[in-house]
Amino acid sequence: MSSSLEKLVIIGSGPAGWSAATYAARAQLQPLVYEGAITEANRMAGTLPLGQLSLTSEVENYAGFPHGDLGGFLESALPQERRMVMPPHEGKGVTGPELMELMRQQAANFGTRIVTDDILKVDFSSRPFKLYPAEGGLVEAACVIVATGASANWLGLPSEERFKNRGVSACAVCDGALPRFRNRPIVVIGGGDSAVEEATYLSKFASTVHLVHRRDQLRASKIMAQRALDNPKITIHFNSGLAEVLGNDANGVTGVRLASTLDPAREETVDAAGVFLAIGHTPNTGFLDGQLDLTPKKYIVWTKHFRTATSVDGVFAAGDVADDYYRQAISAAGTGCMSALDAERWLAEHVGH
Ligand code: NAP
């Protein structure tokens, strides 16, 4: 088995991973980033490279990016081969995919090495730490930053599973523009910022968006919630849950059966060409196989106050994989920076660099 010894490996390629890489590269730690593999399985699980932000539309609240036409800036900042894989810039402020490409490029500009593969397994029981990529081989690392983020939850209904990819999706930005949804009614499940963002985005394509939420008020921030309430194409079904996705083999999704959360005997059927789930996220910690302390919700535990240290000395965690509270792109980038500074100090103390 081929192996190489790295000073610092960063697993994950969202705002936390790239911010950690930029800081680490500038500190001359020669970081190696495993950004994730481009596979259908990762697409379905929402774990493609560049993280959750690459699955969103316009980003209005990332500091330093006010609404404006970034066309020329993107042209000059990104190499052509990366611009070609992105949707064209619409001149309406930075989008999630654009912001992520810029972060990736910034890390690359300082010499970060990037591998487009998953780390499937780790062994943190002895040093150097061992990492096993999906493509095979072994990577050994003196220090590791885990920044694998979180991915979208599903309800787990058999009918949801049956119609995945045929009208059921957890990513409006990835799938919303498909012809099957054009000028047709669409259902979005959830009441948080993601649900409102998806409903607002889908209202550009759909004839009507039915936003279905289990309680009597939205969890989304006030500005986002008001946007949904004011949108004439969005109808909100409060105190309501998805009981079944309806459809057939020929057409995929044709509707949903909704049940009242106050009285489950009260049901309604709504015609729909698609169902988008936006019911929160689960941290991507399965590959750690219990080797770092996790919270009951499976988030990595930061073991020191205001530090990114984990239960294994020399392994640090950044971003949503360790944060079930703020979960913002900018806070993930902030903890990514912190993790690189923590790693730099740890390496100086333990490895002498
Ligand atoms: P979230 O805030 O955790 O909201 C999840 C929503 O799904 C909640 O309304 C929850 O209902 C509902 N839900 C959870 N499990 C459910 C189930 N089994 N059945 C039915 N409904 C269920 O998650 P999020 O909206 O993905 O947001 C995650 C974080 O990202 C938040 O911090 C958010 O602010 C941030 N975010 C920000 C933006 C932005 O600012 N532009 C955009 C997207 C996300 P309850 O309300 O009853 O718990």
Side-chain angles (χ1 to χ4, degrees), residues 61 155 191-194 197 213-215 219 279 281 328:
N61 54 4
L155 283 170
D193 280 330
S194 297
E197 190 174 68
H213 182 39
R214 63 184 177 183
R215 289 187 298 121
R219 174 181 295 281
I279 56 166
H281 295 82
Q328 304 296 306

Side-chain angles (χ1 to χ4, degrees), residues 1 9-12 34-39 41-42 47 115-124 130-139 146 148 284-291:
M1 188 181 281
V9 173
I10 297 168
I11 313 172
Y34 271 82
E35 66 171 348
I38 301 172
T39 62
N42 280 354
T47 53
V115 180
T116 308
D117 196 14
D118 291 325
I119 293 295
L120 291 187
K121 203 170 78 153
V122 294
D123 181 354
F124 293 155
K130 295 183 179 56
L131 311 174
Y132 298 90
E135 282 177 357
L138 165 69
V139 178
V146 180
T148 45
N284 297 320
T285 49
F287 75 105
L288 296 169
D289 200 21
Q291 294 184 63

Side-chain angles (χ1 to χ4, degrees), residues 266-334:
R266 252 180 35 222
E267 292 192 340
E268 63 176 320
T269 300
V270 173
D271 287 341
V275 180
F276 288 81
L277 282 300
I279 56 166
H281 295 82
T282 299
N284 297 320
T285 49
F287 75 105
L288 296 169
D289 200 21
Q291 294 184 63
L292 296 181
D293 285 357
L294 304 180
T295 69
K297 289 182 178 170
K298 310 283 184 210
Y299 288 82
I300 296 174
V301 174
W302 279 318
T303 51
K304 291 184 189 159
H305 179 65
F306 220 70
R307 298 286 182 272
T308 61
T310 70
S311 56
V312 173
D313 200 28
V315 177
F316 300 88
D320 283 11
V321 75
D323 173 14
D324 70 347
Y325 186 72
Y326 296 106
R327 297 179 299 179
Q328 304 296 306
I330 198 149
S331 52

Side-chain angles (χ1 to χ4, degrees), residues 71-87:
F73 171 54
L74 290 165
E75 280 290 311
S76 61
L78 298 174
Q80 205 200 354
E81 69 271 16
R82 299 295 300 182
R83 291 202 312 269
M84 277 162 51
V85 297
M86 297 163 56

Side-chain angles (χ1 to χ4, degrees), residues 52-53 56 58-61 152-156 189-198 212-221 223-224 227 240-242 261 277-281 299 320 323-329:
Q52 294 173 66
L53 216 60
T56 66
E58 194 176 335
V59 179
E60 294 178 333
N61 54 4
N153 289 341
W154 299 90
L155 283 170
I189 312 290
D193 280 330
S194 297
V196 169
E197 190 174 68
E198 302 226 335
V212 176
H213 182 39
R214 63 184 177 183
R215 289 187 298 121
D216 63 357
Q217 69 184 70
L218 297 173
R219 174 181 295 281
S221 54
I223 188 169
M224 303 274 281
R227 216 170 271 174
S240 187
L242 180 65
T261 51
L277 282 300
I279 56 166
H281 295 82
Y299 288 82
D320 283 11
D323 173 14
D324 70 347
Y325 186 72
Y326 296 106
R327 297 179 299 179
Q328 304 296 306

Side-chain angles (χ1 to χ4, degrees), residues 7-233:
K7 205 180 288 182
L8 173 64
V9 173
I10 297 168
I11 313 172
S13 58
W18 295 126
S19 160
T22 297
Y23 271 77
R26 293 188 76 253
Q28 300 190 328
L29 300 179
Q30 294 98 34
L32 176 67
V33 172
Y34 271 82
E35 66 171 348
I38 301 172
T39 62
E40 181 57 18
N42 280 354
R43 197 188 83 78
M44 289 305 293
T47 53
L48 284 172
L50 305 184
Q52 294 173 66
L53 216 60
S54 71
L55 306 177
T56 66
S57 48
E58 194 176 335
V59 179
E60 294 178 333
N61 54 4
Y62 198 93
F65 286 90
H67 189 98
D69 188 345
L70 293 165
F73 171 54
L74 290 165
E75 280 290 311
S76 61
L78 298 174
Q80 205 200 354
E81 69 271 16
R82 299 295 300 182
R83 291 202 312 269
M84 277 162 51
V85 297
M86 297 163 56
H89 180 66
E90 290 181 3
K92 291 195 304 182
V94 76
T95 66
E98 289 166 353
L99 191 51
M100 293 319 303
E101 286 289 347
L102 290 168
M103 288 192 198
R104 184 184 191 277
Q105 190 58 41
Q106 194 171 8
N109 288 349
F110 292 108
T112 298
R113 290 160 301 137
I114 302 168
V115 180
T116 308
D117 196 14
D118 291 325
I119 293 295
L120 291 187
K121 203 170 78 153
V122 294
D123 181 354
F124 293 155
S125 63
S126 61
R127 297 206 187 112
F129 303 126
K130 295 183 179 56
L131 311 174
Y132 298 90
E135 282 177 357
L138 165 69
V139 178
E140 294 187 293
C143 184
V144 173
I145 294 173
V146 180
T148 45
S151 41
N153 289 341
W154 299 90
L155 283 170
L157 298 171
S159 57
E160 172 193 68
E161 188 61 34
R162 178 178 169 203
F163 293 111
K164 267 185 196 171
N165 252 354
R166 291 156 69 221
V168 172
S169 167
C171 179
V173 175
C174 319
D175 301 327
L178 292 173
R180 64 170 295 124
F181 302 126
R182 296 259 163 180
N183 299 315
R184 307 280 305 282
I186 290 178
V187 170
V188 175
I189 312 290
D193 280 330
S194 297
V196 169
E197 190 174 68
E198 302 226 335
T200 306
Y201 176 78
L202 289 166
S203 69
K204 290 194 254 178
F205 311 104
S207 54
T208 306
V209 177
H210 298 277
L211 181 57
V212 176
H213 182 39
R214 63 184 177 183
R215 289 187 298 121
D216 63 357
Q217 69 184 70
L218 297 173
R219 174 181 295 281
S221 54
K222 289 207 164 37
I223 188 169
M224 303 274 281
Q226 197 57 47
R227 216 170 271 174
L229 292 163
D230 292 345
N231 188 326
K233 285 175 91 177

